[in-house]
Amino acid sequence: MKAAPEDQILLLDLQRLDNDITRIAHRITSLQKGAELAEVGQRASAVRSELGAATGEVEDAERELARLESDSATVQARLERDTTLLQHATTTKDVAGLESEMVSLQRRLGDLETTELELMERLDLLRARVGDLGGRLTTLDAERATLAEARDSGTASLATDRENVEANRAAIAGRVPEDLLALYERQRARYGFGASLLQGGVSLASGVALGASDLASVRASAPDDVVLCPDSEAILVRTNESGL
């Protein structure tokens, strides 16, 4: 294939822009995967589970406290009733029975009040834990929102960059002869590179220096001959930097 040297040089700009498009695509994919966002989300999920469990413990403790308070109120009411009855008791047997029951009720009331105090102390600790977990969850949710906003903003910015690069690519591709462009696209699809600058005897696409026989073959080629790199299979673009 023949192509004017200036047309072949356009392929270097095309390759650079294609590299930019690929790089932008990778960055968009990385942003959309959101590894850091996913990690924060996992932490938030774990804290949310802890918060749910801790909240359940608080609710259980509050129900138990309410039951104890109800029991205490019942015992207190019975004590007040027995005190009244004792004041009006007329027999030794009734007095003894009431006094014995009141001793039991006072013991029961003391036990209930001790248990209530212990439960209230535990409830304070549980409520503090719920508050701490709630604060941690609020912080993590805010961090997630910030990361999500940064992801969306970054993705939108990169999408704009890609559109600009693709517009520039289309403009340059429109200046390349159809057969040369078709060859470029084919080689790029197959091997990853469509064009490679030969610089100082080194093909930049592969990073490999051409051997003596390959260099001799390139030197023997006419300036408008389209030559392929023996290593990368990209179109080998020759300039004054090629060292031929």
Side-chain angles (χ1 to χ4, degrees), residues 51 172 199 202 207:
L51 179 59
I172 291 175
Q199 186 177 62
V202 176

Side-chain angles (χ1 to χ4, degrees), residues 106-124:
Q106 287 170 343
R107 186 182 303 114
R108 173 60 176 160
L109 184 61
D111 291 342
L112 286 170
E113 289 175 343
T114 298
T115 303
E116 282 181 46
L117 287 173
E118 292 173 349
L119 184 56
M120 288 171 68
E121 290 176 356
R122 178 168 175 266
L123 193 53
D124 285 341

Side-chain angles (χ1 to χ4, degrees), residues 131-178:
D132 176 63
L133 289 170
R136 287 168 58 189
L137 184 59
T138 297
T139 299
L140 287 170
D141 284 342
E143 186 176 351
R144 286 181 66 197
T146 299
L147 289 171
E149 183 179 355
R151 176 201 60 195
D152 295 342
S153 175
T155 299
S157 177
L158 287 170
T160 299
D161 291 344
R162 180 170 58 188
E163 289 176 3
N164 292 334
V165 174
E166 288 175 343
N168 291 336
R169 185 195 191 279
I172 291 175
R175 296 164 54 194
V176 179
E178 289 185 7

Side-chain angles (χ1 to χ4, degrees), residues 2-6 8 218-227 236 238:
K2 295 282 188 177
E6 57 270 25
Q8 295 189 47
V218 172
R219 290 191 183 100
S221 300
D224 61 350
D225 283 339
V226 176
V227 178
L236 200 60
R238 293 155 288 165

